[in-house]
Amino acid sequence: MVKHPRLTITLANGARLTKGRIGQGVSLEGYGQYLDLGNTGDKCMGNLDKCRNGLTISLWIKARRLEDGTYFLSSPSNTLSYEYGQLVSRFFMNGKMWEVSTPNVRADHWHQVEMSWSPKDGVELYLDGRKQGATNTWSSFQGDDPTVGKTYVGRSKDNSKKTVNALVDEIQYIYAQRDQAIASGQLQGLSISQVSITL
């Protein structure tokens, strides 16, 4: 277990704390290890219906291997996965899905990933501070009920057998669009975000 004031975080199947990008991170070795952040359907981080001002997710990742079909993050409202040579960010709400991706992620290299969503402007994806893509176009999607879904680091919400082989550090869920989060200092660590997971 990792102590956190708002979440119950479980290190599953041998996931362990180790040296991260900034202080301590978590090591996931691709053999069933993941973090379980619990049911977050009552919070913006797990249910976009609760995100009046949008949502920005920031984390550091260092994939030892990049394997298709693996997930760095997953919940009923958002995912960050690696598919067909692309890092893919998706957000889901009320039967809508927004998606943006980048091929610029590398194995064995620390990357800061920022995913940002708002109902008006759609989704943006940044890698190491550089915008990789954005879209406000959505497609129809048959989704899960976000009020009962869990949030995971290192596995998909549907299948715990295929897990990511990576180091993950400094996960932040900020209840604002990225531009607002930067303007308020929340993305630069100058003030406490709504949910910040320091391992």
Side-chain angles (χ1 to χ4, degrees):
M1 294 283 271
V2 176
K3 289 188 178 177
H4 190 276
R6 296 187 195 102
L7 300 172
T8 301
I9 302 173
T10 303
L11 295 160
N13 300 333
R16 60 185 175 83
L17 298 178
T18 188
K19 185 177 187 304
R21 173 67 175 75
I22 303 165
Q24 239 178 3
V26 67
S27 177
L28 308 170
E29 297 181 359
Y31 299 104
Q33 297 86 12
Y34 62 91
L35 289 184
D36 182 342
L37 306 187
N39 189 335
T40 56
D42 61 339
K43 301 172 180 67
C44 172
M45 67 183 282
N47 184 349
L48 296 185
D49 281 326
K50 308 234 175 235
C51 299
R52 287 182 311 215
N53 301 313
L55 174 65
T56 300
I57 304 169
S58 172
L59 70 159
W60 285 90
I61 59 172
K62 183 180 182 181
R64 296 184 186 94
R65 291 192 307 269
L66 290 166
E67 296 180 84
D68 278 346
T70 53
Y71 283 73
F72 293 95
L73 290 174
S74 71
S75 79
S77 68
N78 57 77
T79 60
L80 180 67
S81 59
Y82 188 76
E83 300 170 29
Y84 305 105
Q86 301 267 331
L87 188 67
V88 183
S89 168
R90 293 185 179 103
F91 286 83
F92 312 94
M93 184 179 76
N94 298 331
K96 298 177 181 178
M97 179 180 74
W98 295 259
E99 178 181 315
V100 68
S101 62
T102 178
N104 295 326
V105 66
R106 291 185 292 156
D108 206 32
H109 179 83
W110 278 109
H111 288 290
Q112 185 184 28
V113 181
E114 296 163 311
M115 308 156 52
S116 184
W117 171 87
S118 79
K120 179 181 166 210
D121 297 322
V123 64
E124 298 177 318
L125 177 63
Y126 289 78
L127 195 65
D128 303 320
R130 292 190 179 98
K131 191 178 204 174
Q132 303 296 304
T135 183
N136 59 9
T137 303
W138 53 268
S139 58
S140 296
F141 177 76
Q142 185 89 25
D144 297 331
D145 180 356
T147 63
V148 296
K150 287 190 171 188
T151 294
Y152 297 105
V153 178
R155 61 160 275 195
S156 77
K157 59 185 175 22
D158 303 319
N159 181 4
S160 64
K161 292 179 182 167
K162 192 164 189 180
T163 54
V164 77
N165 187 342
L167 299 166
V168 181
D169 199 4
E170 299 298 313
I171 305 166
Q172 287 185 296
Y173 289 85
I174 301 163
Y175 299 165
Q177 228 179 330
R178 183 178 183 269
D179 290 347
Q180 296 166 337
I182 289 172
S184 66
Q186 292 177 309
L187 261 182
Q188 301 302 317
L190 302 178
S191 63
I192 297 170
S193 64
Q194 280 85 343
V195 178
S196 183
I197 303 162
T198 303
L199 301 163

